[in-house]
Amino acid sequence: LLSDCLGADIPGKVPSESSLTPVFPDIFKKYEGRQVFITTISSNISRMRQIVDAAIGANRRVVLLGRSIINKAGVARKLGYLPDDDTVYINRKEAARYDQASLVYIIGGCFGQVGSSLDRLAKKEMKDTQAESNAVVVFSAEPAPPGVGVDVERVLHDLAIQDLTLLYPAMGLHLHVSGHGHQDDLRQIAE
């Protein structure tokens, strides 16, 4: 048996992805009237679905930022895993014309990758998109898998000096559920 070992040092079981279902509507309600960016792993289509569904419920439209996010969401839309209604999504270049409080940006770069959309937003280097002074940036991904800590800290620093509201799991907030089994999950597979 070959098994994923990234969570092997963590006791217990990983909570269900569905435990995040109320998180995004709560964020939109709490930060109503503010621009919101949510960064997640581009392959986590179920997380994107939760964000899109919450955006629809909050009367926000969705802007996809980052090549990987756009590509994976495009495939997911074609396959029916994300809503394929064009009225849900706004092209990045058109987004500046909208009230920013009526949008949510799903943005790539949750691991602080240099040159990613989140990295460029943090450095104020994006052509069509800027964070407003009261914007909220949500990390709905574990922002520190092995080897990326320095890059994540740099992006967090660059966002923090803009005085943006940052929400991330290390603050004790329930914003991410790992896709990597913990000890009890791995034990169950092995039995």
Side-chain angles (χ1 to χ4, degrees):
L1 172 69
L2 295 177
S3 181
D4 175 16
C5 66
L6 193 58
D9 61 338
I10 303 170
K13 294 180 78 81
V14 175
S16 168
E17 183 75 21
S18 66
S19 69
L20 291 175
T21 300
V23 168
F24 301 107
D26 288 349
I27 288 170
F28 294 143
K29 185 175 181 180
K30 182 174 183 177
Y31 297 103
E32 187 175 350
R34 292 171 68 178
Q35 184 186 42
V36 176
F37 294 87
I38 302 176
T39 185
T40 192
I41 301 163
S42 64
S43 60
N44 194 336
I45 302 304
S46 84
R47 187 74 45 81
M48 279 196 242
R49 179 64 188 244
Q50 289 173 317
I51 297 165
V52 170
D53 287 347
I56 292 168
N59 294 315
R60 287 182 182 249
R61 301 197 53 200
V62 177
V63 182
L64 303 170
L65 292 177
R67 183 177 58 244
S68 189
I69 292 278
I70 291 168
N71 290 342
K72 289 184 172 97
V75 171
R77 287 177 66 185
K78 288 177 187 169
L79 295 173
Y81 293 111
L82 289 175
D84 196 30
D85 180 352
D86 285 336
T87 64
V88 171
Y89 305 93
I90 299 292
N91 181 292
R92 173 185 109 198
K93 293 178 182 179
E94 297 172 14
R97 293 185 283 180
Y98 285 78
D99 173 7
Q100 294 300 293
S102 71
L103 305 175
V104 60
Y105 292 83
I106 301 176
I107 184 168
C110 63
F111 297 141
Q113 301 95 316
V114 174
S116 68
S117 292
L118 186 63
D119 177 58
R120 289 182 290 123
L121 180 77
K123 292 176 180 173
K124 297 184 176 186
E125 293 176 351
M126 289 198 96
K127 291 179 185 175
D128 305 313
T129 307
Q130 301 298 318
E132 293 184 341
S133 61
N134 68 345
V136 179
V137 181
V138 179
F139 282 76
S140 186
E142 180 55 52
V148 301
V150 171
D151 290 335
V152 171
E153 288 296 324
R154 179 188 40 77
V155 169
L156 286 169
H157 171 268
D158 290 345
L159 293 167
I161 62 174
Q162 294 180 48
D163 204 26
L164 306 180
T165 299
L166 305 178
L167 306 174
Y168 50 96
M171 298 171 70
L173 301 172
H174 183 56
L175 300 169
H176 175 67
V177 174
S178 179
H180 303 279
H182 294 172
Q183 289 173 356
D184 289 350
D185 300 307
L186 297 174
R187 187 175 294 112
Q188 182 179 0
I189 288 172
E191 293 174 349

mmCIF file of all heavy atoms in Angstrom, residues 13-40:
data_model
loop_
_atom_site.group_PDB
_atom_site.id
_atom_site.type_symbol
_atom_site.label_atom_id
_atom_site.label_comp_id
_atom_site.label_asym_id
_atom_site.label_seq_id
_atom_site.Cartn_x
_atom_site.Cartn_y
_atom_site.Cartn_z
ATOM 1 N N LYS A 13 -8.763 12.617 12.443
ATOM 2 C CA LYS A 13 -9.290 12.535 11.086
ATOM 3 C C LYS A 13 -9.426 13.939 10.511
ATOM 4 O O LYS A 13 -9.629 14.892 11.248
ATOM 5 C CB LYS A 13 -10.676 11.879 11.099
ATOM 6 C CG LYS A 13 -10.681 10.413 11.515
ATOM 7 C CD LYS A 13 -12.093 9.844 11.498
ATOM 8 C CE LYS A 13 -12.576 9.504 10.148
ATOM 9 N NZ LYS A 13 -12.208 8.283 9.519
ATOM 10 N N VAL A 14 -9.359 14.025 9.208
ATOM 11 C CA VAL A 14 -9.605 15.292 8.523
ATOM 12 C C VAL A 14 -11.115 15.532 8.500
ATOM 13 O O VAL A 14 -11.866 14.628 8.154
ATOM 14 C CB VAL A 14 -9.055 15.256 7.079
ATOM 15 C CG1 VAL A 14 -9.424 16.515 6.324
ATOM 16 C CG2 VAL A 14 -7.555 15.050 7.070
ATOM 17 N N PRO A 15 -11.560 16.738 8.856
ATOM 18 C CA PRO A 15 -12.992 17.032 8.755
ATOM 19 C C PRO A 15 -13.460 16.960 7.304
ATOM 20 O O PRO A 15 -12.660 17.089 6.371
ATOM 21 C CB PRO A 15 -13.119 18.460 9.283
ATOM 22 C CG PRO A 15 -11.849 18.749 9.991
ATOM 23 C CD PRO A 15 -10.802 17.863 9.389
ATOM 24 N N SER A 16 -14.741 16.808 7.116
ATOM 25 C CA SER A 16 -15.329 16.775 5.782
ATOM 26 C C SER A 16 -15.234 18.141 5.115
ATOM 27 O O SER A 16 -15.321 19.180 5.768
ATOM 28 C CB SER A 16 -16.812 16.374 5.890
ATOM 29 O OG SER A 16 -17.468 16.586 4.668
ATOM 30 N N GLU A 17 -15.060 18.131 3.817
ATOM 31 C CA GLU A 17 -15.065 19.369 3.029
ATOM 32 C C GLU A 17 -16.374 20.133 3.250
ATOM 33 O O GLU A 17 -16.401 21.368 3.243
ATOM 34 C CB GLU A 17 -14.880 19.033 1.540
ATOM 35 C CG GLU A 17 -14.800 20.218 0.623
ATOM 36 C CD GLU A 17 -13.493 20.984 0.670
ATOM 37 O OE1 GLU A 17 -12.471 20.442 1.101
ATOM 38 O OE2 GLU A 17 -13.501 22.166 0.271
ATOM 39 N N SER A 18 -17.457 19.412 3.485
ATOM 40 C CA SER A 18 -18.754 20.070 3.689
ATOM 41 C C SER A 18 -18.778 20.930 4.954
ATOM 42 O O SER A 18 -19.643 21.793 5.104
ATOM 43 C CB SER A 18 -19.883 19.038 3.725
ATOM 44 O OG SER A 18 -19.752 18.205 4.858
ATOM 45 N N SER A 19 -17.810 20.726 5.863
ATOM 46 C CA SER A 19 -17.766 21.557 7.068
ATOM 47 C C SER A 19 -17.467 23.017 6.738
ATOM 48 O O SER A 19 -17.684 23.907 7.559
ATOM 49 C CB SER A 19 -16.734 21.015 8.069
ATOM 50 O OG SER A 19 -15.416 21.182 7.584
ATOM 51 N N LEU A 20 -16.993 23.281 5.516
ATOM 52 C CA LEU A 20 -16.714 24.653 5.091
ATOM 53 C C LEU A 20 -17.911 25.328 4.434
ATOM 54 O O LEU A 20 -17.859 26.532 4.165
ATOM 55 C CB LEU A 20 -15.536 24.668 4.115
ATOM 56 C CG LEU A 20 -14.173 24.324 4.695
ATOM 57 C CD1 LEU A 20 -13.130 24.268 3.599
ATOM 58 C CD2 LEU A 20 -13.767 25.305 5.764
ATOM 59 N N THR A 21 -18.981 24.595 4.182
ATOM 60 C CA THR A 21 -20.128 25.156 3.465
ATOM 61 C C THR A 21 -20.630 26.462 4.073
ATOM 62 O O THR A 21 -20.887 27.419 3.344
ATOM 63 C CB THR A 21 -21.257 24.113 3.343
ATOM 64 O OG1 THR A 21 -20.746 22.987 2.612
ATOM 65 C CG2 THR A 21 -22.466 24.671 2.621
ATOM 66 N N PRO A 22 -20.766 26.591 5.402
ATOM 67 C CA PRO A 22 -21.251 27.871 5.947
ATOM 68 C C PRO A 22 -20.188 28.972 6.024
ATOM 69 O O PRO A 22 -20.517 30.132 6.258
ATOM 70 C CB PRO A 22 -21.728 27.496 7.356
ATOM 71 C CG PRO A 22 -20.930 26.293 7.729
ATOM 72 C CD PRO A 22 -20.670 25.555 6.432
ATOM 73 N N VAL A 23 -18.936 28.634 5.822
ATOM 74 C CA VAL A 23 -17.846 29.602 6.013
ATOM 75 C C VAL A 23 -17.941 30.774 5.038
ATOM 76 O O VAL A 23 -17.833 31.940 5.438
ATOM 77 C CB VAL A 23 -16.475 28.897 5.907
ATOM 78 C CG1 VAL A 23 -15.338 29.905 5.804
ATOM 79 C CG2 VAL A 23 -16.274 27.966 7.089
ATOM 80 N N PHE A 24 -18.133 30.497 3.761
ATOM 81 C CA PHE A 24 -18.088 31.568 2.761
ATOM 82 C C PHE A 24 -19.313 32.480 2.831
ATOM 83 O O PHE A 24 -19.144 33.713 2.753
ATOM 84 C CB PHE A 24 -17.839 30.977 1.375
ATOM 85 C CG PHE A 24 -16.550 30.204 1.345
ATOM 86 C CD1 PHE A 24 -16.550 28.818 1.308
ATOM 87 C CD2 PHE A 24 -15.334 30.854 1.431
ATOM 88 C CE1 PHE A 24 -15.367 28.097 1.334
ATOM 89 C CE2 PHE A 24 -14.138 30.145 1.467
ATOM 90 C CZ PHE A 24 -14.163 28.764 1.412
ATOM 91 N N PRO A 25 -20.539 31.964 3.018
ATOM 92 C CA PRO A 25 -21.653 32.899 3.228
ATOM 93 C C PRO A 25 -21.423 33.797 4.453
ATOM 94 O O PRO A 25 -21.744 34.988 4.423
ATOM 95 C CB PRO A 25 -22.860 31.979 3.442
ATOM 96 C CG PRO A 25 -22.504 30.715 2.741
ATOM 97 C CD PRO A 25 -21.009 30.586 2.916
ATOM 98 N N ASP A 26 -20.829 33.238 5.500
ATOM 99 C CA ASP A 26 -20.538 34.040 6.696
ATOM 100 C C ASP A 26 -19.530 35.148 6.394
ATOM 101 O O ASP A 26 -19.673 36.274 6.879
ATOM 102 C CB ASP A 26 -20.009 33.156 7.826
ATOM 103 C CG ASP A 26 -21.075 32.268 8.449
ATOM 104 O OD1 ASP A 26 -22.278 32.464 8.155
ATOM 105 O OD2 ASP A 26 -20.707 31.358 9.214
ATOM 106 N N ILE A 27 -18.512 34.833 5.595
ATOM 107 C CA ILE A 27 -17.520 35.845 5.221
ATOM 108 C C ILE A 27 -18.182 36.956 4.421
ATOM 109 O O ILE A 27 -17.969 38.144 4.685
ATOM 110 C CB ILE A 27 -16.348 35.213 4.435
ATOM 111 C CG1 ILE A 27 -15.481 34.375 5.385
ATOM 112 C CG2 ILE A 27 -15.511 36.287 3.724
ATOM 113 C CD1 ILE A 27 -14.438 33.526 4.698
ATOM 114 N N PHE A 28 -19.023 36.597 3.448
ATOM 115 C CA PHE A 28 -19.678 37.613 2.627
ATOM 116 C C PHE A 28 -20.615 38.480 3.463
ATOM 117 O O PHE A 28 -20.732 39.682 3.226
ATOM 118 C CB PHE A 28 -20.420 36.980 1.451
ATOM 119 C CG PHE A 28 -19.509 36.330 0.450
ATOM 120 C CD1 PHE A 28 -19.887 35.152 -0.173
ATOM 121 C CD2 PHE A 28 -18.280 36.874 0.120
ATOM 122 C CE1 PHE A 28 -19.058 34.536 -1.101
ATOM 123 C CE2 PHE A 28 -17.438 36.265 -0.805
ATOM 124 C CZ PHE A 28 -17.840 35.099 -1.421
ATOM 125 N N LYS A 29 -21.260 37.872 4.442
ATOM 126 C CA LYS A 29 -22.153 38.636 5.315
ATOM 127 C C LYS A 29 -21.346 39.568 6.221
ATOM 128 O O LYS A 29 -21.650 40.753 6.351
ATOM 129 C CB LYS A 29 -23.004 37.692 6.157
ATOM 130 C CG LYS A 29 -24.033 38.396 7.001
ATOM 131 C CD LYS A 29 -24.919 37.408 7.724
ATOM 132 C CE LYS A 29 -25.966 38.136 8.548
ATOM 133 N NZ LYS A 29 -26.836 37.218 9.261
ATOM 134 N N LYS A 30 -20.299 39.033 6.836
ATOM 135 C CA LYS A 30 -19.488 39.832 7.762
ATOM 136 C C LYS A 30 -18.788 40.987 7.057
ATOM 137 O O LYS A 30 -18.633 42.075 7.622
ATOM 138 C CB LYS A 30 -18.450 38.945 8.451
ATOM 139 C CG LYS A 30 -17.606 39.696 9.464
ATOM 140 C CD LYS A 30 -16.691 38.779 10.232
ATOM 141 C CE LYS A 30 -15.912 39.586 11.283
ATOM 142 N NZ LYS A 30 -15.058 38.718 12.090
ATOM 143 N N TYR A 31 -18.353 40.752 5.819
ATOM 144 C CA TYR A 31 -17.600 41.773 5.091
ATOM 145 C C TYR A 31 -18.415 42.357 3.939
ATOM 146 O O TYR A 31 -17.860 42.765 2.923
ATOM 147 C CB TYR A 31 -16.267 41.195 4.613
ATOM 148 C CG TYR A 31 -15.399 40.788 5.778
ATOM 149 C CD1 TYR A 31 -15.259 39.454 6.135
ATOM 150 C CD2 TYR A 31 -14.763 41.753 6.554
ATOM 151 C CE1 TYR A 31 -14.489 39.085 7.227
ATOM 152 C CE2 TYR A 31 -13.993 41.391 7.642
ATOM 153 C CZ TYR A 31 -13.857 40.057 7.978
ATOM 154 O OH TYR A 31 -13.103 39.704 9.067
ATOM 155 N N GLU A 32 -19.717 42.420 4.136
ATOM 156 C CA GLU A 32 -20.594 43.025 3.140
ATOM 157 C C GLU A 32 -20.139 44.458 2.882
ATOM 158 O O GLU A 32 -19.744 45.176 3.800
ATOM 159 C CB GLU A 32 -22.031 43.020 3.660
ATOM 160 C CG GLU A 32 -23.047 43.465 2.648
ATOM 161 C CD GLU A 32 -24.467 43.330 3.167
ATOM 162 O OE1 GLU A 32 -24.681 42.727 4.233
ATOM 163 O OE2 GLU A 32 -25.362 43.835 2.481
ATOM 164 N N GLY A 33 -20.160 44.854 1.629
ATOM 165 C CA GLY A 33 -19.738 46.200 1.279
ATOM 166 C C GLY A 33 -18.244 46.334 1.052
ATOM 167 O O GLY A 33 -17.745 47.439 0.844
ATOM 168 N N ARG A 34 -17.530 45.199 1.098
ATOM 169 C CA ARG A 34 -16.076 45.246 0.907
ATOM 170 C C ARG A 34 -15.652 44.302 -0.216
ATOM 171 O O ARG A 34 -16.277 43.284 -0.473
ATOM 172 C CB ARG A 34 -15.373 44.862 2.205
ATOM 173 C CG ARG A 34 -15.602 45.933 3.285
ATOM 174 C CD ARG A 34 -15.128 45.536 4.633
ATOM 175 N NE ARG A 34 -13.674 45.432 4.716
ATOM 176 C CZ ARG A 34 -13.045 45.139 5.838
ATOM 177 N NH1 ARG A 34 -13.710 44.932 6.967
ATOM 178 N NH2 ARG A 34 -11.731 45.054 5.869
ATOM 179 N N GLN A 35 -14.569 44.661 -0.857
ATOM 180 C CA GLN A 35 -13.959 43.824 -1.888
ATOM 181 C C GLN A 35 -13.368 42.584 -1.211
ATOM 182 O O GLN A 35 -12.712 42.692 -0.174
ATOM 183 C CB GLN A 35 -12.867 44.634 -2.581
ATOM 184 C CG GLN A 35 -12.184 43.947 -3.734
ATOM 185 C CD GLN A 35 -11.016 44.792 -4.236
ATOM 186 O OE1 GLN A 35 -10.253 45.361 -3.448
ATOM 187 N NE2 GLN A 35 -10.884 44.880 -5.559
ATOM 188 N N VAL A 36 -13.602 41.397 -1.810
ATOM 189 C CA VAL A 36 -13.119 40.146 -1.223
ATOM 190 C C VAL A 36 -12.322 39.364 -2.254
ATOM 191 O O VAL A 36 -12.768 39.152 -3.382
ATOM 192 C CB VAL A 36 -14.289 39.277 -0.701
ATOM 193 C CG1 VAL A 36 -13.782 37.934 -0.191
ATOM 194 C CG2 VAL A 36 -15.066 40.007 0.402
ATOM 195 N N PHE A 37 -11.135 38.920 -1.826
ATOM 196 C CA PHE A 37 -10.300 38.002 -2.605
ATOM 197 C C PHE A 37 -10.202 36.704 -1.814
ATOM 198 O O PHE A 37 -9.939 36.746 -0.605
ATOM 199 C CB PHE A 37 -8.881 38.564 -2.785
ATOM 200 C CG PHE A 37 -8.797 39.801 -3.607
ATOM 201 C CD1 PHE A 37 -8.959 41.057 -3.020
ATOM 202 C CD2 PHE A 37 -8.561 39.728 -4.973
ATOM 203 C CE1 PHE A 37 -8.878 42.212 -3.774
ATOM 204 C CE2 PHE A 37 -8.474 40.883 -5.736
ATOM 205 C CZ PHE A 37 -8.641 42.125 -5.134
ATOM 206 N N ILE A 38 -10.381 35.570 -2.480
ATOM 207 C CA ILE A 38 -10.201 34.275 -1.820
ATOM 208 C C ILE A 38 -9.199 33.478 -2.642
ATOM 209 O O ILE A 38 -9.383 33.273 -3.841
ATOM 210 C CB ILE A 38 -11.517 33.496 -1.680
ATOM 211 C CG1 ILE A 38 -12.540 34.325 -0.894
ATOM 212 C CG2 ILE A 38 -11.270 32.146 -0.999
ATOM 213 C CD1 ILE A 38 -13.913 33.691 -0.773
ATOM 214 N N THR A 39 -8.133 33.054 -1.995
ATOM 215 C CA THR A 39 -7.133 32.249 -2.678
ATOM 216 C C THR A 39 -7.246 30.811 -2.197
ATOM 217 O O THR A 39 -7.456 30.547 -1.011
ATOM 218 C CB THR A 39 -5.708 32.803 -2.486
ATOM 219 O OG1 THR A 39 -4.807 32.040 -3.282
ATOM 220 C CG2 THR A 39 -5.268 32.813 -1.047
ATOM 221 N N THR A 40 -7.161 29.897 -3.137
ATOM 222 C CA THR A 40 -7.237 28.474 -2.831
ATOM 223 C C THR A 40 -6.412 27.706 -3.850
ATOM 224 O O THR A 40 -5.898 28.278 -4.814
ATOM 225 C CB THR A 40 -8.707 27.991 -2.806
ATOM 226 O OG1 THR A 40 -8.762 26.680 -2.244
ATOM 227 C CG2 THR A 40 -9.331 28.002 -4.191
#
